[in-house]
Amino acid sequence: MTKTELISQMAKDAGITKAQAADAYASFTENITKTLKKGEKATLIGFGTFSTSKRAARTARNPRTNEPIKVKARTVAKFKPGKALADAVNKK
């Protein structure tokens, strides 16, 4: 599903316009991003938890030349699905 398809489905399900659904989507993603930037978790009960994790600096290898490359330390976003989501996806 693409962003456009998601917004269309949200508008249909909620009985609102696509513009209103796009605003709701933008608000959701913006607020999750702000929360993660502050180093906090965003938990949606039953759906999952968005969080951040720190990756240490390391030395990697260029696969073409086999030369070492320095990879800087960074913070990455993570998502852990909640039980309800995991169960819904795993049902057959």
Side-chain angles (χ1 to χ4, degrees):
M1 175 178 274
T2 66
K3 176 182 170 182
T4 304
E5 292 169 340
L6 176 60
I7 289 171
S8 294
Q9 190 63 47
M10 287 170 59
K12 181 180 172 186
D13 291 346
I16 57 177
T17 67
K18 287 184 183 180
Q20 290 170 323
D23 289 343
Y25 172 84
S27 176
F28 173 78
T29 56
E30 183 178 315
N31 283 293
I32 294 293
T33 302
K34 284 180 184 177
T35 301
L36 294 179
K37 277 185 165 183
K38 289 190 274 184
E40 299 173 0
K41 291 182 180 181
T43 302
L44 304 172
I45 304 295
F47 185 73
T49 301
F50 296 91
S51 63
T52 58
S53 176
K54 296 197 184 286
R55 286 194 186 160
R58 62 187 172 90
T59 302
R61 294 237 173 241
N62 181 331
R64 285 189 185 171
T65 63
N66 207 26
E67 291 181 29
I69 301 170
K70 291 185 180 183
V71 179
K72 294 180 182 180
R74 62 186 289 182
T75 301
V76 294
K78 295 187 335 180
F79 176 75
K80 180 179 178 188
K83 184 174 179 352
L85 177 60
D87 290 346
V89 170
N90 289 320
K91 282 190 177 180
K92 293 182 180 181

